[in-house]
Amino acid sequence: MPASLLDPVTTAPAPTVASAMARRPGLWSLPEVRWAAAATALFAAGLAAHFGPGPGWLAWALFLACYAAGGWEPGRAGLRALRARRLDVDLLMVAAAVAAAAVGQVLDGGLLIVIFATSGALEAVAAHRTAQAVRGLLDLAPDQAVRLSDDGAEEVVEAASLRIGDVVLVRPGERIGADGQVLDGASEVDQATITGEPLPVTKMPGDEVFAGTLNGPGALRVRVGRAASDTVVARIVAMVAEASATKARTQLFIEKVEQRYSAGMVAATVLLLAVPLLAGAAFQPALLRAMTFMIVASPCAVVLATMPPLLASIANAGRHGVLVKSAVVMEQAGSTTRVAFDKTGTLTEGTPRLAEIQVLPGAGLDRDEVLALAAAAENPSEHPLGRAVVAAAREAGLPLAQAREFTAVPGRGVTARVAGRLVEIGSPAHLLGATPDPAGAAAADMEQSGQTAAVVRVDGHPVALLGIADRTRPAAAAAVARITAVTGAAPILLTGDNARAARRLAVQVGIRDVRAGLLPQDKAAAVTRLEADGHRVLLAGDGINDAPALAAAHTGVAMGRAGSDLALDTADAVIMRDDLTAIPAIITLSRRARRVITANLVIAAAIIATLVAWDLAGHLPLPLGVADQRYNCARSCSSARCTTARLRPWLRCHCHQRFSLSDSSGRANCCARYHSR
């Protein structure tokens, strides 16, 4: 992640997504992966030595090395938890593995270690991939600004070092480094991440600008008006922190019951060892029974029943372009009852598109001729409205003539000479004036419908009106319908845009509940009220102004391509392809995983109950506490194995005969029958 979410841009070339991805450390950089791989390799080598012709001490040495490689980290974490008066399941498994080795079952303990080390590595890999993919986007944020001295000299400085009264230079295409007031210059500034406005806002001397917003085609000199810790962005970050602090910590089901369950299991294990000893039983059988009980009754099976379906769902979501940050998020997404959307950049693409062309009476030009002239005049412009006109002409296959004598004035429009004709494109207020006429009325109607109107004037005469609007995402209506079917309730629209534009979009996508003109704190308050009414809210947004609501929501989802760094960092999941149909898909995927978890928990509980009853009522073989397996008499009956198995109360040979260590004749007969084969 960047050093600061408030950092402005630098004059150095911005890093690309490819370069950010190239800097990602590989999976081998994760200690969990390295230790799990080492433990697995040592366990495999131990198995080979155990069943091979080598000496028995070699297998023991390899298994003990497996213990050290795979068990030291969960053991250390468990001891830290124990010092904090918490009982960790990993510590119980390490203790069970050590106890298994103490009674001669070193292979079984090694299997436990490998299972837990591998599970931890898989979870670390899933978290690593999510974090790195998000970080690849966050790394694109610049972190420096250009400060001007009194003599006009330029100095590249860190954003945090800017002070009130400093003057910074913001070049075209850069992000503004601080809240302040424009001293000189004119430009169009994209404030969508702060205010949710889909189109750039004209900035002239005396206008206020915000840190983190994107400057357009003009250069600005800005006097810093607030310290970095007091900017609008900083206040939004503070709201995010406050919302996150008040948001209840969510845990997996097993984590909620682990402490009490583990404490009860430990108490039962101690009683199972102490009571028989007090009654005069032999130490070895009592210890083995207690250790077997601790293994089979441990919440290990519940953890393993919970995590694999969630990790598999995370991987499945990743293949569909959704990065889910944790197993907890994947689990809780399925409980969503209401979905809320931001407007600009979420339900819409956040990019202006030419929506309508109205040719005025008496223009003497048809629609294609107007579009060709307007696009040729706008072709040299970098303004989003100009790019929308050019894109529409190219999609229509119209040839663009070369524009000469091009000039652009922020807030007023462009002027160019195309094929000998003077073409002007600008706002109705600039090109039509305040005098009422049919063109002005048509422009007012166009703006009333939620579009931005631009006048095209050729040789001094208005010829057409261009209606430009932020285009709705193609899958928005389908996603809204699918979400309504999945959750049983229609989504809600929460936006900072004006009510007219919000209602127009809501009609297009099928949303009835519209709440417009909301500031960042208003969005967060709306989400909090919904959750206070008993709803589990999933909020989808993209801007900095959405971050407080993303933090307050039960599940926050950010749009990956257009999302701001703060929104990406705050959200619980990121839609990398900006495909809204992924939202109902994730809810469905989470609910499917929860059903699999429920089935797994029922099976695990049944197995645990059966093995515990077997251990208490009879003599459960310790290997069955880890896996249902049978040992080959090739090692069990070898002289090395028999001499090192003095702590074992039983052996099972290839001849399937069970005998006690005290039955020397039975052991000898079994081994004799094996070796005679």
Side-chain angles (χ1 to χ4, degrees):
M1 287 189 51
S4 171
L5 291 172
L6 307 180
D7 293 345
V9 302
T10 176
T11 55
T16 63
V17 174
S19 64
M21 300 281 281
R23 293 196 300 270
R24 296 182 184 180
L27 297 180
W28 198 247
S29 64
L30 299 175
E32 295 89 348
V33 173
R34 295 197 301 269
W35 289 115
T40 303
L42 289 168
F43 182 76
L47 283 178
H50 181 76
F51 293 108
W57 64 263
L58 178 60
W60 269 79
L62 290 171
F63 284 137
L64 292 178
C66 168
Y67 278 47
W72 78 270
E73 191 168 7
R76 185 181 62 174
L79 290 175
R80 285 200 300 264
L82 196 60
R83 285 197 295 268
R85 299 180 182 276
R86 289 185 294 105
L87 196 58
D88 190 89
V89 65
D90 290 344
L91 181 61
L92 296 180
M93 286 301 98
V94 172
V98 172
V103 296
Q105 300 283 9
V106 65
L107 186 152
D108 309 310
L111 181 58
L112 267 180
I113 292 294
V114 168
I115 288 175
F116 265 76
T118 304
S119 175
L122 290 175
E123 187 173 2
V125 167
H128 170 79
R129 286 180 174 173
T130 299
Q132 289 300 319
V134 174
R135 189 174 291 115
L137 295 175
L138 300 183
D139 286 344
L140 301 181
D143 57 3
Q144 294 176 319
V146 178
R147 183 169 60 192
L148 300 177
S149 61
D150 293 339
D151 59 2
E154 298 181 5
E155 178 186 8
V156 178
V157 298
E158 298 293 328
S161 66
L162 293 176
R163 299 290 183 265
I164 297 176
D166 287 348
V167 177
V168 295
L169 174 64
V170 185
R171 291 188 171 91
E174 292 183 343
R175 289 195 178 272
I176 297 173
D179 284 8
Q181 189 178 56
V182 177
L183 293 179
D184 185 34
S187 186
E188 307 281 345
V189 177
D190 183 0
Q191 300 184 153
T193 55
I194 298 294
T195 64
E197 296 168 290
L199 298 178
V201 178
T202 302
K203 296 295 181 181
M204 307 292 288
D207 290 338
E208 185 179 17
V209 293
F210 305 106
T213 55
L214 183 63
N215 187 30
L220 298 175
R221 287 198 306 123
V222 177
R223 175 180 285 120
V224 177
R226 299 186 185 95
S229 60
D230 196 34
T231 62
V232 171
V233 175
R235 292 199 295 271
I236 292 176
V237 172
M239 285 188 289
V240 171
E242 182 179 356
S244 300
T246 57
K247 187 177 181 179
R249 179 176 180 267
T250 306
Q251 296 175 293
L252 293 174
F253 168 77
I254 181 56
E255 292 176 346
K256 297 176 180 178
V257 301
E258 178 183 329
Q259 293 299 310
R260 294 181 180 178
Y261 182 92
S262 299
M265 189 202 68
V266 169
T269 301
V270 172
L271 290 174
L272 195 59
L273 175 63
V275 172
L277 292 178
L278 293 175
F283 175 75
Q284 179 188 328
L287 176 62
L288 183 63
R289 185 188 298 272
M291 291 301 99
T292 304
F293 172 83
M294 183 172 72
I295 291 174
V296 300
S298 168
C300 167
V302 183
V303 173
L304 295 179
T306 302
M307 290 306 299
L310 294 176
L311 293 176
S313 298
I314 290 175
N316 193 356
R319 287 192 295 270
H320 290 83
V322 181
L323 300 173
V324 181
K325 294 187 178 181
S326 70
V328 172
V329 174
M330 178 54 71
E331 183 191 43
Q332 70 187 22
S335 62
T336 299
T337 59
R338 294 298 297 270
V339 174
F341 284 108
D342 170 52
K343 174 182 172 288
T344 305
T346 304
L347 287 175
T348 68
E349 295 179 349
T351 303
R353 302 283 182 174
L354 182 62
E356 183 181 358
I357 300 177
Q358 287 188 20
V359 180
L360 299 176
L365 299 171
D366 62 21
R367 184 181 184 280
D368 286 347
E369 289 174 332
V370 170
L371 180 57
L373 287 173
E378 290 280 13
N379 196 28
S381 173
E382 296 182 354
H383 194 281
L385 299 183
R387 290 198 295 269
V389 175
V390 173
R394 288 176 175 167
E395 290 175 1
L398 301 177
L400 302 184
Q402 184 176 3
R404 302 180 182 277
E405 303 176 16
F406 173 83
T407 59
V409 179
R412 300 177 72 88
V414 301
T415 302
R417 192 166 293 277
V418 180
R421 309 185 73 172
L422 181 64
V423 180
E424 300 169 276
I425 305 173
S427 65
H430 172 56
L431 295 182
L432 296 179
T435 304
D437 59 12
D445 292 341
M446 188 175 287
E447 292 181 341
Q448 186 67 27
S449 68
Q451 300 177 6
T452 297
V455 177
V456 180
R457 197 163 67 178
V458 178
D459 295 330
H461 300 288
V463 297
L465 296 175
L466 305 179
I468 300 171
D470 188 5
R471 188 166 67 180
T472 305
R473 293 189 185 277
V480 168
R482 178 60 180 160
I483 288 170
T484 303
V486 169
T487 63
I492 302 170
L493 180 59
L494 305 176
T495 179
D497 206 353
N498 64 79
R500 183 179 64 244
R503 284 194 295 269
R504 176 175 176 270
L505 174 71
V507 170
Q508 293 178 358
V509 300
I511 294 178
R512 296 182 179 179
D513 191 347
V514 179
R515 307 177 191 185
L518 302 180
L519 295 174
Q521 60 269 28
D522 300 327
K523 287 187 179 182
V527 170
T528 302
R529 285 194 296 270
L530 286 171
E531 295 195 338
D533 292 337
H535 294 292
R536 297 292 183 92
V537 179
L538 184 151
L539 175 75
D542 72 303
I544 292 176
N545 60 327
D546 299 320
L550 288 170
H554 184 66
T555 305
V557 178
M559 309 300 286
R561 291 180 179 175
S564 67
D565 48 7
L566 184 58
L568 293 170
D569 185 44
T570 305
D572 301 307
V574 179
I575 303 176
M576 299 300 297
R577 301 172 187 170
D578 288 0
D579 182 5
L580 292 176
T581 58
I583 294 178
I586 288 299
I587 296 175
T588 302
L589 190 63
S590 173
R591 291 180 177 179
R592 187 181 306 160
R594 288 158 70 99
R595 289 194 295 269
V596 173
I597 289 171
T598 301
N600 286 352
L601 291 176
V602 171
I603 295 172
I607 292 176
I608 289 175
T610 300
L611 294 180
V612 167
W614 187 355
D615 182 57
L616 295 178
H619 297 281
L620 173 66
L622 183 60
L624 290 180
V626 180
D628 185 12
Q629 59 179 335
R630 180 174 295 167
Y631 285 95
N632 192 305
C633 196
R635 294 304 298 155
S636 297
C637 289
S638 67
S639 58
R641 190 61 173 167
C642 286
T643 56
T644 58
R646 298 186 183 278
L647 293 178
R648 297 189 180 203
W650 61 272
L651 290 172
R652 182 180 294 275
C653 286
H654 188 73
C655 56
H656 304 297
Q657 177 177 340
R658 181 172 176 174
F659 56 88
S660 170
L661 280 176
S662 60
D663 186 3
S664 58
S665 61
R667 184 172 71 251
N669 291 335
C670 176
C671 291
R673 282 195 296 272
Y674 169 76
H675 290 296
S676 66
R677 294 174 67 89

